[in-house]
Amino acid sequence: MTRRTVIENCAIATVDADGTEYASGHLVLADDRIEAVGAGRAPRDVENVVRRIDASGHLATPGLVNTHHHFYQWLTRGLATDHNLFDWLVALYPVWARIDEEMVYAAAQGSLAMMARGGVTTTTDHHYVFPRGCGDLSGVIVRAAREIGVRFTLARGSMDRGEKDGGLPPDFAVESLEGALAATEATIDAHHDASFGAMTQVAVAPCSPFSVSTELLREGAELARRKGVRLHTHGSETVEEEKFCRELFGMGPTAYFESTGWLGEDVWMAHCVHMTDDDIAAFARTGTGVAHCPSSNARLAAGIARVPDLLAVGVPVGLGVDGTASNESGELHTELRNALLINRLGPHREAALGARQVLRLGTHGGAQVLGRAREIGSLEPGKLADLVLWRMDTLAHSSIADPVAALVLGAPAPVTASFVNGRQIVEDGRLLSADEDAIARSTREQARRLARIAASTA
Ligand SMILES: [Zn+2]
């Protein structure tokens, strides 16, 4: 029997192609899918209704989609707070090289819990630190995502260009080329689900031009295409990276990525701050996607990504938290606001981005760059029931007339309910799927353990 949930009396921003909104509307969820969305109350003849939610005072949106993160960094928040990217990496690599299964599992729980209670229903984790003898880190990350109940893409990262090869990471923190490729393939075989509505997918994700070899990029791209999975990496994040690429490869990052097979509709890249007009044209021509991470770019003084220029030529853009060592809040809903504000400080000023545009980036745009726009990212019949009810009738928002402006420009809105595949995972701002207080304790313990081990081996 189909089990239906009716949600009514709320404002709805569907984020469909026409940007359809309802000042007061209804949604019907049937099992794991959205069956109907429309104005006014739901039809009275809907059958097999197991739950009816009066969502007065709320805004319903698609669940937020986070397109870039590093869960393990949950244990190293608040360190190297006045550094640029390269100095920050050099300060943190020796600590990160000491992570183990227990630490990474706790960090993944913390990262996932924080995002879920703020309206994220789909996320990625770009994990690229695999110290020798660290155990099955991919396995514990996937387990944490399943337990919290968030839709998930594990971007299996890697680094094989240590200091002795002119790279940035210390030699003890990198894998071999063959080892990284074999482990990535094994992770795809173990966890990637290509079916509609999949809860777990895997992408091939060498870390960055300054931490991986040209061969790993090239062979990683071949592996991803042979397996039919997506490709992810960091690109054009800082002026230092641009300089590194010019010195080592004789070209800028985008040309280097193109020469190694790393532009295409199946690729999304984090940051893309330092892009020339030609770089942006190459992304548009190839359909390469971008994960825009405004808070992290500000925290590491990387610069302002040219989001309005990317959107103007049709580049798919989603939003990203980035790792919490460079964005301690670990939330995505505040990135809506930050994306709008930071882009308005750029050359397009007030015309840079609007509230509805950033909501689109945080939902449909994210679904697009993860290759899942047929399944999620908007509230439309036939799509998966991944959605959020934001509370808009408290002191923080009740006097803001436009609910989308309230969500984007106002204080972080409380999440009354969040659904993934029609299953509720958050109620009144608290996780239903896990014990937040227990996670808070275990992440604190593991952060201290990591600090202790790193100090004793320094
Ligand atoms: Zn990153």
Side-chain angles (χ1 to χ4, degrees), residues 18 27 59 120 147 171 188 193 204 215 218-219 229 235 238-239 248 257 261 268 271 293 301 328 362 371 403 438 449:
D18 300 325
L27 287 143
L59 168 67
V120 168
E147 287 167 357
D171 293 320
I188 298 167
D193 176 0
V204 175
E215 294 71 38
R218 233 181 236 130
E219 291 179 39
V229 303
T238 63
V239 283
L248 231 72
F257 283 127
W268 87 103
H271 306 305
C293 307
E328 276 74 2
R449 213 180 118 235

Side-chain angles (χ1 to χ4, degrees), residues 68 70 234 271 322-323:
H68 188 63
H70 312 289
H234 293 97
H271 306 305
D322 203 359

Side-chain angles (χ1 to χ4, degrees), residues 221-237:
E222 280 164 20
L223 169 66
R225 287 177 181 132
R226 178 158 58 79
K227 291 291 199 178
V229 303
R230 297 181 81 75
L231 298 85
H232 181 52
T233 190
H234 293 97
S236 305
E237 184 172 359

